[in-house]
Amino acid sequence: METQVKEGVIFSLSFQEALDRATSLISGYKAKPLLIGSLATLSPLFSCKVTLEYDFPNDKRKRTLTATIFVDPNGNEVKVKGDIQYSVPFQVEMVEGKPPSDEAILQVAKKELPSTAEVINSRIDEVKKVWYTSSFTFTFSLGLTNAHVKVGNTTQVTIDPIKREAIVDLLKKEFGVEGGNVEIKEREEGYTLTYLDENWNGFMELNKVGVVLSKELKITQKHAVSLVEQKVNGKALLVTGEFRVYAEDDTTLYRCDVDPHTGDVSCKRVGIPSGKVKENSETYFINNMFSRPTTLDVSFTEEGWIVKISGETGVAEYLVKHDGSSIKVKFLRVNEKFGEMWGKKEFPGCEVKSSIKENSIEVNASDGNFNHRVILSLEGKVKEKEHSITDSYALRLAYNTMGLSSGCREELKRWKGYILVDLSCNGKHHIAKLENDGKVKETLDVVDITSLLGSLKLGNVVSAGYKDKNIVVKVEEEKHYRYIKFNMQGEKLKEEICDRGFLSKIKCVKQDLEYRPSTQDPTELIMS
């Protein structure tokens, strides 16, 4: 629009220069400016025609200077550009002011003289009022709002606040969404926006004029899970990161990755489903814990399937690989019933008894020939194991080994891991030394001392017994002592006589030592 100015306008700053400066000041907002208004503030300016007569101290010839100067109401000189114009292409507002004093005008004019000049005479020939542009204010449409830029001796940029509706419309357009909740926070540099609905959440930063500085729209975890469940036609088990979702259907375990920005889903088969894990774990429990589960709980982790299971024989926790290829026992506690069932499996056909000790389970089993004793830890591991033939089996082995059928007096003792069986019949001891597994370590046939003495019809027997696998006997007679040594079969090996009396005492002491029995028990002969 054109505005008429009666006194005329002269420019200290041209319209285009001011517009260029204004445009430069808002270029940092990264939006294309559209000029929608301009306003010039006009201040009074006085055009003064002044004549000065002057000379110099060393040259008294008179000189004359006629000049036109422009002075504001405060008496300050204003440098102007171009010619006076009476029509301008912008709106104006005027600031009134009175002309300065003549003295002020002349002081400005004298500045046009050389510094050493001396004024002889001065006069003001003419004073005319005109207007000059002290500042321009431009209004731009910038982004989602308007910017007001003042350019003059100082500059100032003012940005109008953006309307909420405009911000919301921009966000929905940028994110391609409808509805949802939009939260707007104004900050010094602009605006921070957050968006949330059931499926998406977004974040956006705007500068003061609504230019997008950054934005991010992400899928919600709930929606990511929903997309995966639709993809595999199953149910989600675990979500990690942004967004890895483990899910299963009736036949397969899947690992799915969901693009957080687009919602695209890609899935890979990685294992077996929980139903198959339960089936495998139940079978494993039955085979290793010897009872059917009464409770069975399966949960999923990135490490594998966690199975907590219990039954009549104890409780266990398993870690099952995703593909079901291995089952690792993480925790196990067995009980007395486990010991019984373990024993029946380990010793089929045996009578089994199980009992709880302080930190273990003792299992005893017998099949008639062997006794089995096993100590199990509370984790079901074998700590100790012992096997030993039964007394009845030891007797049968001894009869068989010694070539006897039956009818002997039977004595049995266990000594240092061996079973010693003494079958006494027909005037002899038939002794077998057996190992715990039933192997024959040693046998010995030895005459029964009582039977031997009875057959010999000796007199007063002082002592009789076994020594160094021989039989030694001391007999008291009327005038002397008789010392006799027999072998194990009762054959006489040696006989000595020691007279009774003081003179033979030393000799008798020596013979007493030689013929003194070491034991009355024939089984001690094979204990070494």
Side-chain angles (χ1 to χ4, degrees):
M1 62 176 293
E2 291 290 328
T3 302
Q4 301 298 319
V5 181
K6 180 180 178 182
E7 293 89 350
V9 177
I10 195 165
F11 294 89
S12 59
L13 178 66
S14 72
F15 177 84
Q16 189 60 50
E17 288 176 329
L19 181 59
D20 291 344
R21 286 177 62 184
T23 303
S24 176
L25 288 170
I26 59 175
S27 62
Y29 289 105
K30 300 178 182 179
K32 184 177 181 180
L34 175 64
L35 182 64
I36 60 174
S38 56
L39 172 69
T41 299
L42 302 183
S43 297
L45 190 64
F46 300 93
S47 174
C48 305
K49 185 177 181 181
V50 179
T51 299
L52 299 175
E53 294 178 352
Y54 65 95
D55 61 12
F56 294 96
N58 56 356
D59 185 354
K60 294 301 182 178
R61 289 178 295 172
K62 183 172 69 175
R63 296 167 175 79
T64 300
L65 171 66
T66 299
T68 299
I69 60 175
F70 294 88
V71 184
D72 68 14
N74 296 321
N76 298 317
E77 183 178 16
V78 177
K79 299 295 184 180
V80 297
K81 297 178 180 180
D83 299 326
I84 295 175
Q85 298 180 21
Y86 296 91
S87 177
V88 293
F90 43 78
Q91 291 182 313
V92 298
E93 64 176 3
M94 294 179 176
V95 179
E96 295 293 339
K98 296 179 180 180
S101 65
D102 291 350
E103 179 63 27
I105 294 172
L106 291 174
Q107 287 299 322
V108 173
K110 289 177 181 179
K111 293 178 182 179
E112 300 295 322
L113 298 176
S115 60
T116 57
E118 295 179 351
V119 177
I120 301 171
N121 190 24
S122 62
R123 67 178 183 274
I124 300 173
D125 299 320
E126 181 184 37
V127 175
K128 290 173 58 177
K129 181 181 179 181
V130 296
W131 298 91
Y132 81 100
T133 53
S134 58
S135 67
F136 286 93
T137 299
F138 299 99
T139 300
F140 297 93
S141 175
L142 192 65
L144 300 181
T145 186
N146 293 333
H148 307 279
V149 185
K150 182 178 180 181
V151 178
N153 292 332
T154 60
T155 57
Q156 181 180 349
V157 178
T158 303
I159 306 295
D160 290 343
I162 306 175
K163 293 181 179 180
R164 174 180 173 84
E165 292 78 10
I167 293 177
V168 172
D169 289 345
L170 174 66
L171 178 142
K172 291 183 177 180
K173 179 181 177 182
E174 290 288 328
F175 285 156
V177 295
E178 292 293 337
N181 179 55
V182 179
E183 182 178 337
I184 302 172
K185 291 184 179 180
E186 190 171 356
R187 54 194 179 89
E188 185 177 353
E189 301 83 3
Y191 302 86
T192 299
L193 319 179
T194 54
Y195 173 80
L196 179 65
D197 64 21
E198 289 187 354
N199 298 331
W200 299 91
N201 57 58
F203 174 82
M204 184 180 292
E205 287 184 316
L206 308 179
N207 66 10
K208 286 187 174 182
V209 301
V211 172
V212 178
L213 301 178
S214 65
K215 64 179 180 177
E216 185 176 35
L217 183 66
K218 287 186 177 181
I219 194 170
T220 62
Q221 179 170 308
K222 180 180 178 181
H223 191 39
V225 167
S226 175
L227 291 174
V228 169
E229 290 182 336
Q230 292 175 28
K231 177 87 171 179
V232 304
N233 191 27
K235 68 174 183 176
L237 302 169
L238 177 69
V239 182
T240 63
E242 290 186 340
F243 289 101
R244 173 162 285 181
V245 182
Y246 291 88
E248 65 171 350
D249 62 13
D250 292 339
T251 63
T252 307
L253 172 69
Y254 300 91
R255 184 180 67 217
C256 301
D257 292 309
V258 183
D259 189 303
H261 300 105
T262 66
D264 293 337
V265 180
S266 60
C267 295
K268 181 180 180 181
R269 298 172 186 267
V270 295
I272 59 176
S274 57
K276 187 64 175 176
V277 173
K278 288 181 179 180
E279 181 182 328
N280 292 352
S281 299
E282 182 175 4
T283 300
Y284 187 87
F285 188 87
I286 292 171
N287 291 339
N288 291 275
M289 294 290 285
F290 317 115
S291 67
R292 298 194 67 84
T294 53
T295 64
L296 195 159
D297 179 68
V298 176
S299 59
F300 183 83
T301 69
E302 278 194 288
E303 186 182 6
W305 294 96
I306 301 298
V307 180
K308 295 182 178 180
I309 188 169
S310 64
E312 186 182 13
T313 54
V315 297
E317 182 175 327
Y318 302 147
L319 174 64
V320 183
K321 291 190 70 172
H322 288 156
D323 61 3
S325 61
S326 70
I327 297 178
K328 178 182 178 181
V329 178
K330 293 186 67 177
F331 174 81
L332 188 66
R333 276 291 182 273
V334 298
N335 56 27
E336 186 174 359
K337 185 65 176 179
F338 174 87
E340 179 185 341
M341 302 305 293
W342 182 91
K344 289 181 178 180
K345 178 177 180 295
E346 186 74 11
F347 309 111
C350 292
E351 180 184 353
V352 177
K353 293 182 180 180
S354 174
S355 59
I356 292 286
K357 303 301 180 182
E358 184 177 358
N359 292 307
S360 60
I361 299 171
E362 181 175 319
V363 180
N364 290 284
S366 177
D367 59 4
N369 292 335
F370 282 88
N371 291 321
H372 309 280
R373 177 178 176 272
V374 180
I375 303 298
L376 301 176
S377 69
L378 296 181
E379 290 77 35
K381 303 294 184 181
V382 176
K383 295 172 66 176
E384 299 176 25
K385 185 181 288 188
E386 295 178 2
H387 305 284
S388 177
I389 56 176
T390 62
D391 290 356
S392 60
Y393 187 43
L395 289 172
R396 291 199 302 273
L397 286 174
Y399 273 109
N400 186 60
T401 300
M402 306 307 292
L404 302 172
S405 56
S406 61
C408 296
R409 183 171 58 86
E410 301 164 352
E411 290 187 14
L412 183 147
K413 67 175 66 174
R414 295 180 183 271
W415 172 80
K416 292 185 178 181
Y418 295 100
I419 300 95
L420 305 178
V421 181
D422 180 5
L423 303 177
S424 178
C425 55
N426 302 320
K428 283 190 176 183
H429 293 278
H430 306 280
I431 303 170
K433 183 178 183 182
L434 307 176
E435 296 182 347
N436 281 327
D437 60 2
K439 292 180 180 179
V440 179
K441 179 70 174 178
E442 187 177 352
T443 61
L444 178 67
D445 284 333
V446 58
V447 172
D448 177 67
I449 293 176
T450 301
S451 298
L452 176 64
L453 295 178
S455 65
L456 295 176
K457 297 182 180 180
L458 298 174
N460 184 24
V461 176
V462 177
S463 65
Y466 302 100
K467 184 176 185 178
D468 299 331
K469 292 191 177 181
N470 289 303
I471 300 170
V472 289
V473 179
K474 178 180 179 182
V475 180
E476 183 180 13
E477 296 179 348
E478 183 178 354
K479 295 183 178 181
H480 52 259
Y481 293 106
R482 185 182 301 275
Y483 297 91
I484 310 170
K485 182 181 291 186
F486 302 89
N487 64 16
M488 295 292 98
Q489 285 72 41
E491 297 172 345
K492 185 185 294 186
L493 299 177
K494 182 178 179 182
E495 182 175 344
E496 294 182 66
I497 293 175
C498 178
D499 294 333
R500 301 176 67 176
F502 179 77
L503 295 177
S504 302
K505 187 175 183 179
I506 295 176
K507 179 180 179 182
C508 291
V509 169
K510 179 181 177 183
Q511 289 173 333
D512 280 343
L513 291 174
E514 182 180 351
Y515 287 83
R516 179 180 298 168
S518 58
T519 181
Q520 303 295 320
D521 184 357
T523 59
E524 291 187 14
L525 298 176
I526 57 174
M527 281 187 176
S528 58

